[in-house]
Amino acid sequence: MSETVIKVENLYKEYKLGVISHGTLYKDMQSWWAKIRGKEDPNSLISTHHGEDAEKTSFLALNDVSFEIKAGDRVGIIGKNGAGKSTLLKILSRITSPTRGSVTIHGKVGSLLEVGTGFHQELTGRENIFLNGSILGMNKREISRKMDEIIDFAGIEKHIDTPVKRYSSGMMVRLGFAVAAHLDTDILIADEVLAVGDAEFQRKALAKMGDLSTGEGRTVLFVSHNMGAVERLCNIGLILHNGVLIDKSDDIKYSIKKYLNVGQEDTTKLSYEWINNGQVPNNQWFKPISFFITDDNMNILKDTHSNDKDLWINIKGIIKENDSAFCIGYALYSEDNALLYWSYQTDVPQAEWPKFKLGEFHLRSKIPKRFLNEGTYRVEFICSLHCRQWILDPEVNAPAIFFEINGGLSDSPYLFNKRPGVLSPIHAWEIVSEDQ
């Protein structure tokens, strides 16, 4: 049986809302005197009393979280923004301490939480490798032995003797991950910071974390909004929601599917329409109004859909400022959370792009009949300024709706049940004459 390397028991982390300084020396001294006597701060916006007022002046980033992790586990910690993922990793990395509860860790921990974490900006990349290794308890000889391997993996040979303050965020991430992955740690913790790297480096980093776990028996804790990456790397899922651990599963696919349904009143209920009630952060270009699925007659779906009829993805919004880079569309996922494709209004030749004007618009796109297989599908409303900025980021803050395909696969007497696979297109076949 694998050894338990991380044990978390009844973990709480409370952050208080208020001010650090009151603006005058007199009030600061008054607050300090109250604190050393164990009294309530007379100048604080924060009440030390529990009850209704406590919710207004503090919040629990982690609320009674308990779990165990075995050696060699690859753990995906998933949840929406503000769920408590980064707070948990900071406690496990001993960057911050819990308000209550206990954390027991057996082994050395290597962390990559934010760009530049643990780096001294005035030191070179090479010097920072020695610094990080020393912090982890390694001697100079051990670090030197790993040096070439770390530099090669990071791919920044030309800049290794340059102060890291001159590094780009991508270079910083490359070096930070290379150090954390190659030094002798028992537990590797990686936050969403890997998203800063390019696609090639992300694949390389995920492969390395997989090798560390399966080949060297190290434990990996991975936080990401990219569910595809989580599914490829991890075998165990932890789901956090509003600071509460709502599920731990040895089936990562189950964890991802459950996470995607968090917040649904009934996870079996399909939702064919999303209306913006203020969930989307304000931006200067575009205000989403609604996102919904209709049939050919512009009726919003109310039940499962037959595959012999077209579907329409509809988007309503308000253009506040025109930008030539504006892209709007959707991402389609299978019930196993496999990304099937993205679709944007800019996918066709530029002369055929819909012409947006300032003000309200209604845009729609067809999913043709007899294209998808039977099953449940998730559609995310995505929007960006091409190669510049996400407005609605897939699997991060993109609103989602769901629909189900059932029946109508084909007129053939042989094709009336669901086949293996996600798609079920109907393609015509013909005999090729030998005379041709």
Side-chain angles (χ1 to χ4, degrees):
M1 191 172 187
S2 299
E3 173 193 2
T4 298
V5 293
I6 299 176
K7 186 174 184 180
V8 174
E9 297 180 283
N10 309 116
L11 192 65
Y12 291 83
K13 181 61 179 180
E14 182 179 21
Y15 289 104
K16 294 187 177 292
L17 310 176
V19 295
I20 297 173
S21 174
H22 303 292
T24 67
L25 178 61
Y26 170 76
K27 287 187 176 182
D28 287 344
M29 292 296 294
Q30 195 178 39
S31 299
W32 170 79
W33 181 241
K35 180 179 179 181
I36 64 172
R37 291 184 297 139
K39 302 294 185 180
E40 183 175 351
D41 183 351
N43 301 307
S44 178
L45 299 177
I46 303 168
S47 170
T48 57
H49 300 300
H50 295 285
E52 293 183 4
D53 290 340
E55 293 184 2
K56 300 176 184 177
T57 58
S58 64
F59 75 96
L60 285 173
L62 295 174
N63 187 355
D64 197 17
V65 172
S66 299
F67 60 87
E68 292 186 12
I69 295 174
K70 306 290 187 183
D73 283 345
R74 305 181 306 281
V75 183
I77 303 175
I78 54 182
K80 298 182 182 297
N81 290 332
K85 307 183 299 296
S86 295
T87 300
L88 175 60
L89 295 193
K90 286 177 181 178
I91 291 174
L92 296 178
S93 303
R94 299 185 178 94
I95 292 173
T96 189
S97 58
T99 303
R100 297 200 306 276
S102 65
V103 175
T104 305
I105 298 177
H106 300 285
K108 296 178 183 177
V109 178
S111 301
L112 185 61
L113 303 184
E114 297 176 0
V115 176
T117 298
F119 285 166
H120 191 296
Q121 297 296 303
E122 300 297 330
L123 299 181
T124 67
R126 189 185 305 275
E127 290 167 338
N128 271 291
I129 294 174
F130 280 108
L131 176 63
N132 274 257
S134 299
I135 291 172
L136 291 170
M138 300 175 65
N139 59 43
K140 185 176 180 180
R141 181 177 298 176
E142 291 173 316
I143 301 169
S144 297
R145 191 173 66 248
K146 297 271 189 174
M147 182 65 70
D148 290 342
E149 191 176 351
I150 292 171
I151 295 173
D152 180 65
F153 189 91
I156 56 170
E157 297 89 343
K158 294 181 180 179
H159 308 281
I160 195 63
D161 293 310
T162 301
V164 298
K165 67 181 180 181
R166 298 195 177 97
Y167 285 13
S168 67
S169 58
M171 291 167 63
M172 198 88 76
V173 167
R174 285 173 172 270
L175 182 59
F177 181 84
V179 171
H182 287 84
L183 295 182
D184 292 332
T185 57
D186 303 297
I187 301 166
L188 175 62
I189 297 176
D191 203 346
E192 184 65 34
V193 69
L194 281 183
V196 177
D198 56 42
E200 179 185 356
F201 182 73
Q202 288 182 40
R203 289 192 294 269
K204 190 176 178 181
L206 288 172
K208 181 63 178 179
M209 286 190 282
D211 291 342
L212 290 175
S213 178
T214 56
E216 301 180 25
R218 297 197 209 177
T219 304
V220 175
L221 276 66
F222 182 53
V223 166
S224 178
H225 288 290
N226 184 335
M227 293 300 105
V230 171
E231 183 176 341
R232 288 195 301 274
L233 173 66
C234 303
N235 65 318
I236 289 176
L238 296 179
I239 305 176
L240 286 170
H241 183 64
N242 293 335
V244 178
L245 180 65
I246 61 173
D247 189 72
K248 179 176 185 277
S249 173
D250 293 338
D251 183 348
I252 191 62
K253 289 186 177 181
Y254 168 82
S255 293
I256 292 172
K257 192 170 183 179
K258 182 165 184 175
Y259 158 66
L260 294 173
N261 285 316
V262 168
Q264 302 283 325
E265 292 182 4
D266 178 1
T267 57
T268 63
K269 184 179 179 181
L270 302 176
S271 56
Y272 302 103
E273 182 179 22
W274 172 86
I275 297 175
N276 184 13
N277 294 316
Q279 307 97 310
V280 176
N282 193 28
N283 66 87
Q284 70 186 72
W285 301 279
F286 165 65
K287 179 182 179 181
I289 295 176
S290 60
F291 179 49
F292 53 98
I293 306 175
T294 62
D295 58 21
D296 280 327
N297 298 318
M298 291 296 294
N299 299 311
I300 296 177
L301 296 191
K302 296 181 179 179
D303 206 341
T304 58
H305 192 74
S306 178
N307 205 26
D308 57 357
K309 299 175 183 176
D310 295 330
L311 279 171
W312 292 88
I313 306 298
N314 293 257
I315 295 171
K316 286 187 176 181
I318 298 172
I319 297 294
K320 298 192 290 184
E321 180 181 317
N322 260 321
D323 193 303
S324 59
F326 183 71
C327 296
I328 190 168
Y330 68 88
L332 184 66
Y333 300 83
S334 70
E335 57 189 358
D336 293 327
N337 198 48
L339 174 62
L340 304 184
Y341 63 86
W342 287 0
S343 178
Y344 278 123
Q345 101 281 6
T346 53
D347 290 343
V348 294
Q350 189 167 358
E352 300 175 20
W353 293 0
K355 301 297 188 295
F356 289 118
K357 297 179 180 179
L358 295 180
E360 190 168 332
F361 71 89
H362 180 175
L363 193 67
R364 71 171 187 165
S365 177
K366 181 169 69 175
I367 297 180
K369 61 186 178 183
R370 288 175 173 164
F371 172 62
L372 299 173
N373 208 340
E374 289 185 333
T376 302
Y377 296 85
R378 182 172 108 257
V379 193
E380 285 189 340
F381 180 3
I382 60 177
C383 180
S384 68
L385 299 179
H386 182 63
C387 292
R388 281 166 48 196
Q389 178 179 332
W390 280 109
I391 297 173
L392 296 174
D393 193 347
E395 298 193 280
V396 178
N397 68 335
I401 51 180
F402 299 80
F403 67 91
E404 183 178 10
I405 296 292
N406 187 20
L409 294 176
S410 171
D411 294 326
S412 168
Y414 289 172
L415 177 53
F416 53 87
N417 288 326
K418 178 178 180 179
R419 282 177 170 173
V422 177
L423 304 180
S424 186
I426 304 300
H427 297 302
W429 291 70
E430 62 181 27
I431 296 291
V432 178
S433 171
E434 294 183 358
D435 297 333
Q436 292 181 342

